[in-house]
Amino acid sequence: MVEANFQVLSPGEGLTLIQNRYGKHNTFKSTEEFNAASRSVKPGVSAAGIVSSWTHASTLLTSCTLSYSYGAVGTFQTLFFAVAAFKIKEKSDSAYTFPEIVLRGHGKIAHIIYTFFGLVTNLINGSALAAGGCAVFSSLTGMNIGAAYWILPTIVTAYIVVGGLRATFICDYLHAIFLYVCIFAFMFQIYSINPSIGSSSALWHLLKEKSGSAATDSYNGSYMTIDSNDGLVTAATIFLGGFPAVWTDQAYWQRAIASQPGIAVKGYILGSFAWYAVPFAMPTTLGLAAAALTGTAGIPVKLSAKQVSAGLVGPAAATALVGKVSAGLMVVLLFMATTSSTSAESIAASSLVTFDIYKAYINPRASIKSLFWVSVFGLVIYGALLAAISCVFHSVGISLNWLIKIQGSFIGGGAIPMACALLWDRTSTFAVIVSPVIGLVRGLTSWMIATKMRSGTVNITTTSNTWSLLTGDCVSLGMGAVSIIVFSLLVPNKKKLAVVEGLEEPNALPSAPEKKGPGDQETAPDTEKHAGGRVIEENADAEELKPIKGEEYIAELALSPTEAKSQKRLALISLILGSLIFMISFLMALTEIDAVR
């Protein structure tokens, strides 16, 4: 099993080594290359990276679990971040992490808070990836699950050290190809050639026979609808948890930071629409197939609640369809999905340690060499911590589903404040500091109170109640949203004038001529230094990001105002279009599907 895993990864590692030897980008000689891929990633590779790194084990496994438990499902989140991609390039292209964007705009206290949220999010997301992927590896191969928890980060760390962030993009591209091949294979197997099902009509009739036996909460007990109270609440919990998991996860920001400035939005649009098919295809194939085959020779015994919670619905259906061939395909698919997402989380956590802890507070004038070794150290520490925490979670009974559901209550308070810090110019430093803390405390408190009131006791089982989690999610996100708006209006920022490097404003009014006097010779060097920059009014608490010794200077403003306006328009149009598609699909699914017979 381990040997096969290294064979899967070897093409990506080989391409990375060739690039380091003969290409213009060398991982070991540039922090800019190791942590930001020289900000040169093109839309196609960026889109593949988005698809692969956002196809978590939870995307593949939890979507199947929901359709098995409640009926047809799907999800939609990723286009929200396309709106942020152009803002990063417009305002803070020199940043390596999202807490650095906060530091640049709102100072050190806010920076420390968002660094904390970023690290917590990385650990929760990484633990969810390990919990889902390793549970499947153990179930289908017999591998010791404790060993799997340690092997996964070891493999990921090895190929990141060789190639940095660009290595994750190369492997993501290869993994995305295999992902779609597997999905098409499962679709053709279920809807075309498999003797147990073989057509959409046969699947519909099998599910019709199962109506009322399991998905009793849905409309008429049908699997062919998402009109289910518990199912909709669970979907809302996952959506509300997924929103902060995007805005406080450095892995998502790193894709935007690494993209070429003028085309960052295009990569997110392409990747979002391509990824959209994954959480719809998996549940409508393997998830519904598992429900249809339960009680037959394929799946003679209904899966236990523990097996369902561990995400074993999809693998059970794959095994029932073609036996060991599909099981092996599922193992490789999940291995690739897990390694892609874990690699994104690993280098994200490493970047937070490097730039938001070491460079920000320990060695502000760090060299390229020292930052590289700190990045490697961060990868090793995160991998070891992730494996240890995953083992602890497994020993106390914390599963993939629990980790996915609790995200909103834990990190929801920081999501909307972070979005406002980037997108809303009137966001104040005081609001940026207090809002995530209020959201976190209120969210956790309301979650625990709701659990105690509904279940009478607080433990891992009762805290996973969907209604209690929905309470915590809504309060956490809601208090963060209300606080950031109210405090920004009540406690506005003090302002100062600053000059930022970047593309000049077209047709800008010329500055007033300076008065000549004795001080002219002293101010001339400063004027020379800021030639080509732009004078702006900014927050008095803002901190300037220290350049890296020996690294090529990166201007803060990578887009001219005209380019920024064009990117903004493209992002908003795609977001509106994607939202309409999702709403139409959602409304169509609320009614039972009787057309396929």
Side-chain angles (χ1 to χ4, degrees):
M1 176 67 182
V2 178
E3 293 177 357
N5 293 345
F6 279 107
Q7 290 172 5
V8 171
L9 293 174
S10 59
E13 289 182 344
L15 290 172
T16 302
L17 291 172
I18 292 172
Q19 168 206 277
N20 284 338
R21 178 66 179 84
Y22 301 104
K24 64 178 181 179
H25 302 299
N26 191 306
T27 301
F28 305 114
K29 296 182 180 180
S30 171
T31 301
E32 181 72 10
E33 171 63 19
F34 188 88
N35 294 98
S38 300
R39 304 175 203 265
S40 62
V41 178
K42 296 184 178 180
V45 177
S46 178
I50 289 165
V51 171
S52 189
S53 62
W54 287 3
T55 303
H56 293 183
S58 57
T59 306
L60 300 173
L61 300 177
T62 305
S63 59
C64 294
T65 298
L66 291 177
S67 61
Y68 177 80
S69 302
Y70 302 112
V73 297
T75 186
F76 176 73
Q77 300 166 2
T78 53
L79 266 176
F80 286 109
F81 210 77
V83 180
F86 81 90
K87 269 295 184 183
I88 295 172
K89 298 300 180 182
E90 180 191 19
K91 296 174 63 175
S92 303
D93 191 45
S94 60
Y96 287 88
T97 65
F98 78 89
E100 276 198 322
I101 296 175
V102 176
L103 175 65
R104 179 67 186 88
H106 299 283
K108 291 184 177 179
I109 298 176
H111 174 250
I112 292 171
I113 291 172
Y114 286 87
T115 300
F116 167 78
F117 270 85
L119 290 172
V120 170
T121 303
N122 279 135
L123 282 175
I124 292 176
N125 283 346
S127 300
L129 293 169
C134 294
V136 174
F137 300 155
S138 177
S139 174
L140 295 182
T141 68
M143 175 187 289
N144 181 280
I145 194 167
Y149 284 134
W150 286 94
I151 291 173
L152 173 63
T154 301
I155 294 172
V156 168
T157 301
Y159 76 75
I160 296 178
V161 169
V162 171
L165 182 62
R166 194 177 297 274
T168 69
F169 276 105
I170 294 172
C171 290
D172 285 349
Y173 195 89
L174 299 175
H175 292 182
I177 294 172
F178 190 79
L179 169 68
Y180 284 109
V181 169
C182 289
I183 289 177
F184 278 117
F186 288 133
M187 292 178 69
F188 281 112
Q189 181 67 228
I190 292 170
Y191 290 108
S192 180
I193 62 175
N194 189 269
S196 300
I197 302 176
S199 69
S200 56
S201 177
L203 179 62
W204 185 89
H205 284 292
L206 286 171
L207 291 172
K208 196 70 174 176
E209 293 174 4
K210 305 292 182 182
S211 295
S213 61
T216 53
D217 185 60
S218 61
Y219 177 72
N220 288 339
S222 174
Y223 275 102
M224 301 303 291
T225 180
I226 59 171
D227 188 1
S228 163
N229 291 336
D230 283 346
L232 291 174
V233 171
T234 301
T237 301
I238 293 173
F239 181 84
L240 293 174
F243 185 78
V246 170
W247 285 95
T248 58
D249 188 352
Q250 169 62 15
Y252 294 86
W253 294 80
Q254 208 142 9
R255 262 58 189 165
I257 291 169
S259 299
Q260 290 182 353
I263 54 179
V265 173
K266 294 180 181 178
Y268 272 82
I269 292 173
L270 292 172
S272 296
F273 280 106
W275 176 86
Y276 187 47
V278 177
F280 271 101
M282 291 299 289
T284 53
T285 52
L286 295 180
L288 293 181
L293 295 175
T294 298
T296 67
I299 308 178
V301 180
K302 184 180 178 181
L303 297 175
S304 67
K306 185 177 180 179
Q307 290 173 317
V308 172
S309 181
L312 299 180
V313 171
T319 304
L321 290 171
V322 192
K324 292 184 178 181
V325 174
S326 282
L329 196 64
M330 196 72 183
V331 168
V332 177
L333 173 61
L334 284 168
F335 174 78
M336 288 188 163
T338 304
T339 51
S340 288
S341 301
T342 305
S343 68
E345 298 295 335
S346 296
I347 197 166
S350 172
S351 297
L352 292 174
V353 171
T354 303
F355 296 101
D356 298 297
I357 297 178
Y358 179 74
K359 183 175 178 292
Y361 302 105
I362 299 175
N363 186 4
R365 299 189 179 277
S367 65
I368 294 174
K369 184 177 181 180
S370 62
L371 289 175
F372 170 78
W373 285 112
V374 171
S375 296
V376 173
F377 175 77
L379 287 170
V380 173
I381 292 299
Y382 176 78
L385 189 60
L386 176 62
I389 290 177
S390 298
C391 289
V392 172
F393 284 169
H394 176 72
S395 65
V396 299
I398 291 178
S399 66
L400 166 67
N401 281 358
W402 192 88
L403 289 167
I404 292 299
K405 290 178 180 179
I406 57 94
Q407 288 180 328
S409 298
F410 266 96
I411 57 179
I416 295 179
M418 185 60 228
C420 289
L422 180 70
L423 302 175
W424 188 31
D425 292 335
R426 292 186 62 184
T427 305
S428 73
T429 296
F430 180 79
V432 167
I433 292 172
V434 302
S435 298
V437 178
I438 292 173
L440 173 63
V441 174
R442 294 284 188 177
L444 292 178
T445 303
S446 61
W447 176 30
M448 294 297 107
I449 291 175
T451 301
K452 181 68 175 178
M453 292 178 65
R454 292 186 64 86
S455 306
T457 184
V458 177
N459 54 41
I460 294 174
T461 302
T462 58
T463 52
S464 63
N465 178 273
T466 53
W467 293 95
S468 299
L469 285 164
L470 183 63
T471 302
D473 292 351
C474 291
V475 172
S476 184
L477 269 80
M479 290 302 300
V482 171
S483 299
I484 195 70
I485 294 172
V486 171
F487 287 121
S488 292
L489 297 176
L490 293 179
V491 190
N493 288 326
K494 295 179 181 180
K495 298 290 186 179
K496 67 178 181 181
L497 292 178
V499 178
V500 292
E501 298 288 338
L503 301 176
E504 293 187 16
E505 177 102 31
N507 305 321
L509 294 176
S511 58
E514 297 181 1
K515 294 181 180 180
K516 295 182 178 180
D520 286 347
Q521 290 183 347
E522 297 179 5
T523 57
D526 191 59
T527 304
E528 177 77 19
K529 176 182 177 182
H530 297 304
R534 193 188 309 168
V535 178
I536 63 169
E537 189 178 54
E538 69 176 15
N539 181 10
D541 296 315
E543 296 270 347
E544 188 172 344
L545 299 180
K546 301 288 192 301
I548 298 173
K549 183 180 177 181
E551 194 70 82
E552 183 179 349
Y553 179 73
I554 305 296
E556 285 187 60
L557 310 182
L559 299 176
S560 69
T562 302
E563 290 174 324
K565 186 176 180 180
S566 174
Q567 295 272 304
K568 180 180 180 180
R569 182 169 58 250
L570 178 61
L572 290 176
I573 290 173
S574 65
L575 178 60
I576 293 170
L577 180 61
S579 300
L580 288 174
I581 293 173
F582 173 70
M583 291 174 63
I584 292 170
S585 302
F586 180 80
L587 292 174
M588 289 176 63
L590 281 176
T591 58
E592 189 171 10
I593 304 172
D594 288 322
V596 183
R597 294 183 182 274

